[in-house]
Amino acid sequence: MSTHTVLEPDRWNEDQELTLLLFLLRKDATSRLDAVHAAYLYGLDWTRLLRLAEHHRVVPAVYLQLKRINHPAIPAELLRNLQAQYHRNTLRMLHLQAEAGRVTRLLMNHGIRVLMLKGPALAQQLYGDVSLRTSKDVDLLIAPDDMDQAEHWMREAGYVSKSGEARVLGSWKWKDHHASFLHPHKRVEIELHWRLQPDAGREPSFDELWDHRQMSEATGAPCMYTLGSEHQFLYLSAHGARHGWFRLRWLVDIDRLAVRAVDWEALLPVMRRYGGLPAGGQAWALAAALLGTPIPEPMRPISATRQAHRLALSALDFIQASVPGAAYQKVEPTICQPTSRSYLLSLKEPSHRLLYLISRLLPSTGDPAVLPLPRQLHFLYIPLRPFLWLKRRFSKH
């Protein structure tokens, strides 16, 4: 079933600011907006457009496009606000890039292989400039067996753990996926990942990812590596799908990756092996409909399935539910709603769903926060798991 007619942004025509934002995020935005009637631009709520750009973390792209258009209907105050945010983000990204390089070199010098995820490395890889994407932290991927040593060197580098006791029994290696560290003086947060995604799904081993790594394109970053382009798509599509794509920034990443030199034919069996077809089809359906992303020929069949269509419509609901309204408040949106569990299950192949459900019965890193136990008694978290889960649920309400 084609998603073209149902997923067109025309369904948002009454939301003029969101419609304009989608156009601004397209690579051909300037030529398309030249034909927009001036009355349309004069009738916009520019304050809300700013809020949308901030919410979706796409301020750099919006600023550069509006500056390029240079239409008299665009308020000068809006451009000054966007310009200030753009400059702050550039400084922030350069700071994150430098700190990511420092920590990566420290770990690599002590024999710990590191792959840089998202953040400045992804900005450089997909956009060619760290200033063109936003990021709040640095994500590094290492092998699970290197976690103890890596945590030691993170402390030596001045970082303190935000995650507390990150590991309970042996399930942490495949059920959880990262631990967070904060530098109290530099105000930089680094997430050490030992998996690409949580929830026990199948994914490439670190050795496989390392064998297909590519050199970081960041200047002054020797011996720093990112995911290969094929694994990058597998990771970005799964990450965006898991969060319901409520940040359009993640969809722009897919759009920028679509025109890179990716072996899409080689990616297909990798997606089948690791259950990435549902999320991948959803990503292409959304990117094509909302951003005009050209879908590579080998990817078109997975974007035209009923499942991709259904998942894309679910994501549109999440995107719209997270859109700031008139009474906008800076509250982080979340997909932790009554229907989100069924949505997450719908992203998984049947065999992966069973593994996911089994993983729910095993202890998690949140259990010690509810009931601290000495390490030698961690086995009790298994029979206590239902009670601890209920306690957390009631505590949230």
Side-chain angles (χ1 to χ4, degrees), residues 60-80:
V62 170
Y63 166 65
L64 293 176
Q65 292 285 24
L66 291 179
K67 180 183 176 183
R68 198 172 293 126
I69 294 167
N70 192 29
H71 193 281
I74 303 172
E77 180 61 29
L78 172 76
L79 286 176
R80 283 193 293 269

Side-chain angles (χ1 to χ4, degrees), residues 22 58 131 134 136 179 197 242 245 269 353 388:
L22 289 170
V58 290
S131 69
T134 63
K136 70 179 181 67
Q197 307 292 344
R242 180 162 54 88
W245 302 98
R353 292 177 193 174
L388 297 176

Side-chain angles (χ1 to χ4, degrees), residues 281-298:
Q282 179 197 45
W284 287 123
L286 286 169
L290 301 184
L291 301 178
T293 305
I295 304 177
E297 185 64 36

Side-chain angles (χ1 to χ4, degrees), residues 6-306:
V6 181
L7 297 179
E8 283 293 339
D10 292 343
R11 65 181 278 175
W12 292 335
N13 270 348
E14 294 182 2
D15 191 337
Q16 295 182 331
E17 293 77 33
L18 183 57
T19 302
L20 176 60
L21 182 73
L22 289 170
F23 279 123
L24 290 173
L25 296 179
R26 298 170 70 116
K27 288 188 288 291
D28 60 348
T30 304
S31 59
R32 295 174 66 90
L33 284 168
D34 284 343
V36 173
H37 197 276
Y40 175 85
L41 294 177
Y42 281 109
L44 285 172
D45 183 345
W46 292 101
T47 299
R48 184 164 182 270
L49 179 72
L50 173 64
R51 293 167 178 169
L52 284 168
E54 293 170 343
H55 164 71
H56 288 292
R57 304 293 193 263
V58 290
V59 164
V62 170
Y63 166 65
L64 293 176
Q65 292 285 24
L66 291 179
K67 180 183 176 183
R68 198 172 293 126
I69 294 167
N70 192 29
H71 193 281
I74 303 172
E77 180 61 29
L78 172 76
L79 286 176
R80 283 193 293 269
N81 190 320
L82 289 170
Q83 183 184 48
Q85 291 196 52
Y86 174 76
H87 289 159
R88 284 198 298 271
N89 178 67
T90 300
L91 294 175
R92 174 67 177 170
M93 292 295 281
L94 290 172
H95 179 52
L96 289 178
Q97 183 182 51
E99 187 62 10
R102 184 179 80 92
V103 172
T104 297
R105 283 190 294 270
L106 174 67
L107 297 178
M108 295 278 282
N109 288 341
H110 289 90
I112 300 173
R113 297 172 296 172
V114 180
L115 291 170
M116 306 176 76
L117 304 174
K118 295 190 295 183
L122 183 64
Q124 190 69 48
Q125 182 182 10
L126 297 187
Y127 300 79
D129 188 335
V130 295
S131 69
L132 300 183
R133 191 182 188 275
T134 63
S135 182
K136 70 179 181 67
D137 55 23
V138 172
D139 298 83
L140 304 178
L141 180 70
I142 64 174
D145 292 341
D146 289 333
M147 269 303 295
D148 286 334
Q149 188 183 1
E151 286 182 335
H152 167 75
W153 292 112
M154 290 297 293
R155 290 191 293 270
E156 289 293 312
Y159 284 81
V160 295
S161 174
K162 288 182 60 180
S163 308
E165 178 56 67
R167 285 157 287 174
V168 181
L169 298 179
S171 63
W172 66 271
K173 284 188 178 181
W174 55 278
K175 182 178 180 180
D176 303 310
H177 73 304
H178 77 262
S180 298
F181 299 84
L182 178 67
H183 198 292
H185 304 301
K186 297 183 179 181
R187 308 306 300 170
V188 172
E189 182 176 343
I190 291 182
E191 291 185 352
L192 277 186
H193 293 245
W194 55 87
R195 286 177 54 86
L196 294 177
Q197 307 292 344
D199 297 330
R202 288 190 62 197
E203 64 177 48
S205 67
F206 183 85
D207 286 338
E208 179 180 341
L209 297 173
W210 183 258
D211 289 342
H212 292 85
R213 70 191 183 279
Q214 59 186 29
M215 185 76 73
S216 173
E217 298 175 10
T219 57
C223 300
M224 296 183 192
Y225 305 99
T226 60
L227 295 175
S229 294
E230 291 77 26
H231 287 128
Q232 192 72 268
F233 177 82
L234 187 71
Y235 170 58
L236 293 176
S237 59
H239 178 269
R242 180 162 54 88
H243 291 291
W245 302 98
F246 72 78
R247 298 250 193 257
L248 289 174
R249 174 184 63 184
W250 301 323
L251 209 56
V252 177
D253 290 341
I254 297 296
D255 178 73
R256 300 305 186 263
L257 183 59
V259 297
R260 290 184 62 85
V262 180
D263 188 344
W264 301 109
E265 290 283 2
L267 175 59
L268 271 175
V270 174
M271 295 173 69
R272 292 191 184 97
R273 186 180 314 130
Y274 298 114
L277 293 178
Q282 179 197 45
W284 287 123
L286 286 169
L290 301 184
L291 301 178
T293 305
I295 304 177
E297 185 64 36
M299 297 284 106
R300 290 180 184 176
I302 69 170
S303 69
T305 64
R306 291 181 180 273

Side-chain angles (χ1 to χ4, degrees), residues 33 149 228 285 310 346 358 368 382:
L33 284 168
Q149 188 183 1
R310 185 174 62 253
S346 70
I358 292 174
I382 296 177

